[in-house]
Each structure stands twice: as structure tokens, then as C-alpha cells.
Amino acid sequence: MLTGSTVGLRARHEEDFPVLRAELYNDVVRSSRADSRPWRPVAPGSQDSRLTVDDEDEGSVKFSVVELAGGTLVGSAVLWGIDDHNRGAHLGLSLLPASRGKGYGTDVVAVLCHYGFVVRGLRRLQIETLSDNTAMLRAAERNGFVREGVLRSSAWVMGEFLDEVLLGLLAREWRPDPKA
């Protein structure tokens, strides 16, 4: 398990699926805001790619996010679009509703940076998020990500086009938290 100051990133367990399905993916609005693909229901027991882990997929690493204090599942995190040639990747996270507003997002981003830069040897990490996602923008910027641009009207979300903010962080700019 990879650990930060408050959360750990571990492999996705079978018992995580029902919680993630119920609290993240079956919430149409939340799921539509978090995923660029159109929402569709995920049936219990399905092998939906948003839940399952494909160990053969070298371009994506999915984690379950757990609270260090008690091991409680608090969300999901991913390093995706991993490009070993250019040494870059994108990162994302989704926290369960009861786990939001507790600072976990900032810690998850920090742990994903450690994984990307230290464990994987990447040179660049990137985040794309909706322009009104202040929690993700704050978590990214607290970890040193720089706003690189706005993708105007690039995301179709619940009947309207929304702007996305593009943020980037280079390995040479990253300052890991010495307490973590």
C-alpha cells in the first residue's frame, strides 16, 4: 500500500465494488461530472471497466483509497493515460460523499504524485477537471500543480457544455511533503 498522511492507496478489493458502485457510479450527476464517458447504469456483478481492474492494461493503474486510521474505504484514485515513452500520465480521484471536505483529496493527489514520479519514474503529471470543481483545483494546487489553460466548453455534463481546467506538474517542480 502507498501511504500519505491520512490515506492509503491500495489494490481494489472485491468488497469495494458494491460501495463504489452505490456511492459513486450510480449517482448520475456525480458520475457524469467525474467521467468523460456518458453515464450508464452498472449492474451488480458486472465487469464494468470503471470498477474492475485489468492487470493487463499497462496504461492505467486503479486504486482504492482508504483512511489510514481505520482502513475504511473513502474513494477511488487512478493514474491513467500512462505514456512510458514520453513519461507522462493523468491522474484522477473520486471520494465517497461522506469523505469529502476532510482534506483527503489533497493527500490522495500527493500519494499519486509519489507513485507517478518516484515509483513509475514519470516526468509529467496532468489533471483535467471541471472549472467549478474547487476541491480538485485546491488539491492540485496545494501539491504544486500549475494551471496551464482552460479547455473552453469541452465537457458535456448533464445537458450543458462546461469548461475544463488543465493543470500540470513536472517531476523537477514537485516538492513531496516531508511529513508524508
Side-chain angles (χ1 to χ4, degrees):
M1 177 167 32
L2 298 166
T3 60
S5 56
T6 59
V7 298
L9 304 186
R10 64 158 169 75
R12 180 99 21 106
H13 295 173
E14 192 74 31
E15 61 268 17
D16 299 342
F17 297 161
V19 176
L20 296 174
R21 181 181 302 109
E23 295 198 39
L24 294 179
Y25 303 114
N26 283 347
D27 179 338
V28 178
V29 174
R30 170 76 190 104
S31 186
S32 296
R33 291 180 57 80
D35 196 331
S36 61
R37 299 172 289 185
W39 181 85
R40 62 187 180 86
V42 178
S46 78
Q47 295 301 309
D48 187 279
S49 64
R50 294 174 294 175
L51 291 172
T52 60
V53 176
D54 179 358
D55 290 328
E56 303 297 315
D57 180 7
E58 294 292 324
S60 176
V61 180
K62 296 177 185 173
F63 298 96
S64 286
V65 180
V66 295
E67 190 177 42
L68 287 179
T72 305
L73 180 69
V74 296
S76 173
V78 63
L79 199 66
W80 61 276
I82 300 170
D83 179 342
D84 288 326
H85 177 71
N86 293 304
R87 295 180 46 208
H90 306 256
L91 61 90
L93 66 101
S94 293
L95 295 176
L96 302 179
S99 301
R100 297 178 191 150
K102 298 180 179 182
Y104 294 147
T106 298
D107 203 25
V108 171
V109 172
V111 178
L112 285 171
C113 288
H114 173 82
Y115 178 71
F117 293 137
V118 176
V119 177
R120 298 293 299 241
L122 298 176
R123 178 191 55 79
R124 175 187 167 78
L125 294 176
Q126 183 170 309
I127 296 172
E128 299 87 2
T129 190
L130 297 176
S131 62
D132 64 354
N133 188 348
T134 56
M136 185 59 161
L137 292 169
R138 238 184 268 121
E141 290 172 340
R142 285 180 179 153
N143 280 285
F145 280 81
V146 175
R147 290 184 194 218
E148 296 179 335
V150 175
L151 306 171
R152 298 177 303 139
S153 293
S154 64
W156 178 253
V157 179
M158 300 300 294
E160 65 179 321
F161 283 103
L162 299 176
D163 294 347
E164 288 181 288
V165 176
L166 175 67
L167 302 108
L169 179 63
L170 303 178
R172 69 175 183 258
E173 301 166 338
W174 179 57
R175 301 288 177 256
D177 184 353
K179 298 175 286 192

